[in-house]
């Protein structure tokens, strides 16, 4: 009802509108790698270009990150991958390449 007492109809609500508003974009590979680092390191005090070791990581924690990503993505990720690609940005790009070419058998 408006201030002058006239009854108004609610705006039509389409299914497409509710579907669009209910959808959230899928996380990017960078988001997924960053989340794995955050979980394993126990903090998010790093940026996408900070090397893992400088963020407080070590080899055991690197293995834990790779295990999380393997399970989450269903791909084989060699342990060496982490040391060849030590930042979130580099690791995400490498994992993305592997994920598109070699799913876990």
């Amino acid at each position: 009802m408006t201030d002058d007492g006239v009854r108004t109809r609610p705006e039509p609500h389409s299914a497409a509108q509710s579907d669009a508003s209910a959808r959230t974009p899928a996380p990017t590979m960078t988001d997924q790698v960053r989340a794995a680092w955050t979980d394993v390191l126990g903090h998010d005090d790093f940026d996408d270009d900070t090397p893992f070791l400088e963020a407080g990581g070590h080899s055991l924690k690197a293995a834990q990150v790779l295990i999380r990503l393997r399970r989450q993505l269903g791909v084989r990720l060699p342990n060496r991958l982490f040391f060849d690609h030590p930042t979130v940005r580099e690791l995400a790009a490498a994992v993305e390449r592997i994920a598109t070419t070699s799913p876990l058998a």
Side-chain angles (χ1 to χ4, degrees):
M1 211 177 271
T2 63
D3 291 339
D4 60 0
V6 176
R7 189 165 256 224
T8 58
R9 300 182 104 201
E11 290 288 321
H13 189 72
S14 73
Q17 287 174 329
S18 61
D19 285 350
S21 62
R23 281 187 229 135
T24 56
T28 65
M29 187 61 71
T30 301
D31 294 335
Q32 293 177 62
V33 170
R34 189 181 312 111
W37 280 36
T38 298
D39 289 345
V40 169
L41 294 173
H43 68 83
D44 62 357
D45 190 25
F46 56 85
D47 63 35
D48 292 350
D49 295 311
T50 302
F52 189 70
L53 297 175
E54 287 180 24
H58 51 72
S59 59
L60 197 54
K61 288 186 183 261
Q64 292 172 337
V65 168
L66 288 175
I67 288 167
R68 286 175 189 259
L69 292 171
R70 284 178 187 135
R71 287 181 183 156
Q72 187 175 348
L73 303 170
V75 295
R76 292 184 191 272
L77 301 173
N79 291 334
R80 180 77 191 153
L81 184 70
F82 210 103
F83 299 100
D84 293 337
H85 307 282
T87 68
V88 168
R89 189 178 318 279
E90 292 172 6
L91 185 60
V95 170
E96 185 80 48
R97 281 191 301 275
I98 290 170
T100 59
T101 60
S102 63
L104 186 61

